[in-house]
Amino acid sequence: MNGFQQTLLLTVLSLASIGYAEVAVSQSIVAEIPIVPVVPRPTLAPLYPIRQLSTPVPSPPDAASVKPTTPASGIQPKPTTPSIQAEPYTLTAGDRFAVTIANIPEFSGQYQVQVDGTVNFPSLGVISVWGLSVHQIAGLLTTRYRQAEILRDPDITVGLLTVSSLKIALSGEVNRPGSYDIASNDGKLPTLTVAIQKAGGITELANIRQVKLIRARRSGSDDTFQIDLWELLQSGDLRQDITLRDGDSIVVAKDPNPVNPSEAGLIGASNVAPAFIQVGVLGETRQSGVVQVPFNTPLNQVILAAGGFNNRARKKSVELIRLNRDGTVTRRTIAIDFSKGIDEANNPVLHNRDVVLVGRNFIASLSDNLTAILGPVNQTFSVFTLFKALFPASSGNNSSIIIPAGGSAATTTTPATTPATATPATTP
């Protein structure tokens, strides 16, 4: 064994002795630590008595077992109006827009959408842009220039310059249904209420809570939106007065129920109703004829607008004649009570071109009948008076009418003859 091996062996023996000594000391220290038994903590009484529930608290239901609740019978959930106000404007025939490509003026310019919805772009040819927004057109041009390897990474901006008039169709309960061309006003697109005004406003049978708008899409499908104009009139919800697009169709539904008296005044004063209606008032009123009254005016107010009843009128009832849109005519008798509010039975709201007939009372009818019966007698007395004037009963004069040739009639009077008297003869 050499010196290095002896040194290594002594080092290992020294470390082994030191580790054994530390283990022995540790065991002796642990043996000296007293073991303290664990005493359980006493339970404290509550400050307030706890009342046990007679019914156990149910556990939360499983999400898979939860069924959607349905409204009670007779209650319909209120439909939500889709948010179409935020939709960007999509181009149609006649619109003008500008395309600007940064640092490449030869590809920039102004364009107009043709009748078929296409535009001829430089180096790209004819591209359909109908139904696309300006941002979609910018993205489309960027893609086309890259695919054609004309421009590598163009910075394209598209801006709308002018908007052509919109062609809108209106049907249902409007006074003049049909197709209308509605132009923009100072660059602002027309809204739903503007289109209804263009069609003469709503009729008395319109249900403004159910206005349907049908919008054509570029994909060929149609989107249908339900509009509640009553929310616009009552609470000023401008989301209901939506901005129109070219090709939109508006349908105003018919309300089978009579107008609500509490809503008639607000609807009649709104801009979706016509400014006035024309009602004919005939018979025993102070001002008979055609009367112009506001929309949703009841019968009593129409009679007062015609000056009210005169002294010959039958004030208990009147007749209402209505010319319906389907060509039929309805006629009914309505009792008059000026203390009544709007009521379909006693004080209905009148429609445009209604006719109100006010009859005569008993005394006026009797007087008119007597006049009709005694009319020929009065005419006979008038003939006798004429003959008396022509042939007066006078003993001294005889009247005759002489019409000379070529002259005017002349009346001559012949004196009565007197007995002849002897006249003495004259001598030369």
Side-chain angles (χ1 to χ4, degrees), residues 22-363:
E22 290 179 355
V23 173
V25 172
S26 301
Q27 291 178 353
S28 62
I29 293 174
V30 172
E32 293 178 358
I33 296 175
I35 299 175
V36 180
V38 178
V39 180
R41 185 177 180 181
T43 303
L44 300 178
L47 297 178
Y48 300 96
I50 299 177
R51 185 176 60 181
Q52 297 294 332
L53 298 176
S54 59
T55 304
V57 178
S59 59
D62 187 9
S65 62
V66 177
K67 296 182 179 180
T69 58
T70 57
S73 177
I75 301 177
Q76 298 295 332
K78 183 178 180 180
T80 57
T81 301
S83 178
I84 57 178
Q85 286 291 93
E87 284 190 353
Y89 176 75
T90 56
L91 274 70
T92 185
D95 293 346
R96 292 184 60 84
F97 62 95
V99 177
T100 304
I101 303 179
N103 302 321
I104 309 178
E106 57 269 20
F107 286 151
S108 302
Q110 297 182 3
Y111 306 92
Q112 184 174 10
V113 183
Q114 302 302 314
V115 178
D116 58 353
T118 61
V119 174
N120 190 1
F121 293 98
S123 303
L124 293 179
V126 178
I127 298 178
S128 176
V129 297
W130 182 89
L132 297 179
S133 64
V134 291
H135 298 288
Q136 291 174 332
I137 295 176
L140 177 61
L141 293 178
T142 301
T143 303
R144 291 293 184 91
Y145 279 120
R146 286 176 179 174
Q147 291 177 349
E149 297 182 354
I150 299 174
L151 300 176
R152 178 174 299 177
D153 191 14
D155 184 8
I156 301 178
T157 303
V158 179
L160 185 63
L161 298 178
T162 58
V163 177
S164 62
S165 60
L166 307 182
K167 183 172 288 296
I168 308 297
L170 290 101
S171 61
E173 294 302 322
V174 290
N175 284 298
R176 295 192 303 272
S179 177
Y180 292 89
D181 292 329
I182 306 178
S184 60
N185 185 12
D186 295 334
K188 297 180 180 179
L189 294 173
T191 60
L192 176 62
T193 55
V194 173
I196 294 178
Q197 291 174 10
K198 194 77 172 178
I202 60 174
T203 67
E204 294 81 3
L205 301 177
N207 186 354
I208 63 174
R209 287 182 171 86
Q210 294 183 5
V211 179
K212 184 167 60 176
L213 183 140
I214 304 172
R215 176 164 296 173
R217 295 298 185 185
R218 182 181 174 88
S219 60
S221 61
D222 294 338
D223 289 342
T224 302
F225 304 93
Q226 203 69 33
I227 311 299
D228 187 356
L229 287 180
W230 176 250
E231 292 294 329
L232 171 65
L233 303 182
Q234 185 183 33
S235 59
D237 187 2
L238 288 176
R239 294 175 299 177
Q240 310 299 327
D241 191 16
I242 64 175
T243 303
L244 300 179
R245 299 290 186 267
D246 185 67
D248 283 353
S249 297
I250 302 169
V251 182
V252 181
K254 182 178 180 179
D255 194 350
N257 301 318
V259 62
N260 191 336
S262 61
E263 302 175 0
L266 181 58
I267 296 176
S270 66
N271 62 345
V272 298
F276 58 85
I277 62 174
Q278 293 183 341
V279 179
V281 182
L282 305 177
E284 304 302 332
T285 58
R286 290 186 173 89
Q287 298 175 1
S288 298
V290 178
V291 181
Q292 290 187 353
V293 292
F295 186 78
N296 276 348
T297 299
L299 174 62
N300 290 345
Q301 294 184 12
V302 170
I303 295 175
L304 295 177
F309 297 128
N310 58 22
N311 295 330
R312 295 166 46 88
R314 183 178 66 247
K315 302 179 181 180
K316 291 184 178 181
S317 64
V318 298
E319 286 188 273
L320 175 61
I321 301 176
R322 176 160 296 168
L323 308 177
N324 300 314
R325 297 179 65 178
D326 58 358
T328 61
V329 178
T330 57
R331 182 170 183 170
R332 61 176 176 146
T333 302
I334 300 176
I336 297 299
D337 186 357
F338 287 104
S339 63
K340 294 284 186 180
I342 294 179
D343 182 8
E344 184 63 22
N346 299 321
N347 189 21
V349 170
L350 298 189
H351 297 184
N352 190 37
R353 299 174 60 194
D354 279 354
V355 178
V356 179
L357 296 180
V358 181
R360 300 169 295 177
N361 56 29
F362 176 76
I363 297 177

Side-chain angles (χ1 to χ4, degrees), residues 8-32:
L8 181 60
L9 180 59
L10 291 175
T11 302
V12 172
L13 294 175
S14 299
L15 293 175
S17 62
I18 293 172
Y20 177 78
E22 290 179 355
V23 173
V25 172
S26 301
Q27 291 178 353
S28 62
I29 293 174
V30 172
E32 293 178 358

